[in-house]
Amino acid sequence: MPLTRYAPTPSGYLHAGNLLNFEITRQLAEDVGADIALRIDDADASRYRREFVEDIFDRLRQAGLDWTIGPTSAEDFEANWSQRRKTAYYREHLDVLRDSALVLYACTCSRKDIADVPVGGCPGGCRSGAHRLEPEVSALRVAVDPDTTIEIAGQPIPLGRALGDFVVWRRDDLPAYQLVSVIEDRDLGTTHIVRGEDLLDSSAAQIFLARALGAENVLRAHYVHHELVLDADGRKLSKSQQAPL
């Protein structure tokens, strides 16, 4: 049975761009006869607020957007569906990645340091530094060859040059979005994935991880990346701008 999902992040109030994504997801589900799951991505506990989860349910219901899999309320979500309760489960998958053909390494460089460095490593030489993964000291990265390209719906995405060695486990001892999303889509059995075009690189990163995590459905999924809703200045809407519906 085909399955797609709404996958909002409760890091702010929803905005028009989120609603566009939900509407496209619903239309795709109708077109292919797919069920819809509600997957609230709250693994980033540092940004979680209960009122943002309540806003998700309010906005979905106001828009008449239904789903058949997932939580039915903020209370049900926190009791039974929260990713914040699954950190140990995600951590187990680090051993799965280490046993795969992928190369992982602990990196002590800051995000600012990485931002100014060409792809293919980090300024501290952490790929060969033999650092340990240690909370508040290092993050865990997966090595990506600079020439790595991932094809999505016929479009080549230069993952190696776009993201380089991306993080799978964060310095604050939480799982990174790319790791969590692959595991959750694998466990759900997601077959159709709808995202904004700004997340093409993320889709490529998740496809890169998918085989190592046994997520063949993520490799084979049908991907739709839609245009973004922009503000009056031509910038994409974001939760950090508190751009509500």
Side-chain angles (χ1 to χ4, degrees):
M1 179 71 179
L3 176 71
T4 187
R5 78 288 196 275
Y6 308 132
T9 301
S11 56
Y13 296 107
L14 297 187
H15 52 66
N18 300 122
L19 184 58
L20 172 65
N21 177 272
F22 298 161
E23 291 284 2
I24 292 173
T25 299
R26 175 172 66 176
Q27 186 60 59
L28 177 63
E30 291 178 358
D31 291 345
V32 303
D35 284 336
I36 301 177
L38 174 58
R39 189 192 95 187
I40 299 177
D41 288 341
D42 71 326
D44 185 354
S46 65
R47 302 174 70 188
Y48 178 84
R49 283 166 57 181
R50 168 69 176 264
E51 64 196 80
F52 297 151
V53 174
E54 292 173 343
D55 178 66
I56 290 170
F57 285 100
D58 289 344
R59 299 300 186 177
L60 285 169
R61 290 183 171 127
Q62 288 170 12
L65 294 162
D66 298 322
W67 62 97
T68 58
I69 299 169
T72 58
S73 65
E75 292 79 9
D76 181 31
F77 169 72
E78 290 193 337
N80 301 301
W81 298 87
S82 173
Q83 295 173 356
R84 290 174 296 132
R85 297 175 176 269
K86 300 170 66 175
T87 300
Y89 176 63
Y90 301 133
R91 193 189 303 275
E92 292 172 3
H93 288 77
L94 296 184
D95 289 334
V96 176
L97 291 179
R98 290 187 179 104
D99 291 340
S100 74
L102 299 180
V103 176
L104 305 179
Y105 65 92
C107 177
T108 59
C109 300
S110 69
R111 184 177 299 179
K112 180 180 178 181
D113 291 337
I114 291 289
D116 297 328
V117 173
V119 297
C122 66
C126 296
R127 272 195 187 185
S128 57
H131 300 299
R132 293 190 309 160
L133 179 60
E134 186 176 351
E136 307 304 328
V137 175
S138 59
L140 193 67
R141 296 182 180 273
V142 58
V144 181
D145 187 282
D147 294 327
T148 299
T149 298
I150 303 293
E151 186 170 299
I152 301 176
Q155 180 177 354
I157 307 300
L159 177 63
R161 303 195 179 279
L163 292 186
D165 296 353
F166 61 89
V167 172
V168 293
W169 200 268
R170 297 171 14 170
R171 185 187 298 263
D172 58 1
D173 204 28
L174 291 172
Y177 167 71
Q178 311 297 6
L179 177 67
V180 171
S181 190
V182 176
I183 294 170
E184 291 296 323
D185 275 328
R186 181 200 65 192
D187 292 354
L188 276 171
T190 306
T191 61
H192 292 70
I193 296 173
V194 179
R195 293 189 173 113
E197 61 187 2
D198 59 325
L199 293 178
L200 267 165
D201 294 344
S202 285
S203 291
Q206 291 169 32
I207 290 170
F208 185 79
L209 293 176
R211 179 164 285 114
L213 292 168
E216 293 296 322
N217 62 304
V218 174
L219 289 171
R220 299 190 304 269
H222 176 78
Y223 288 86
V224 174
H225 291 84
H226 57 80
E227 293 184 356
L228 305 179
V229 176
L230 305 178
D231 65 14
D233 296 320
R235 298 172 300 184
K236 74 172 184 177
L237 299 180
S238 71
K239 295 190 181 80
S240 62
Q241 295 171 315
Q242 294 298 297
L245 295 171

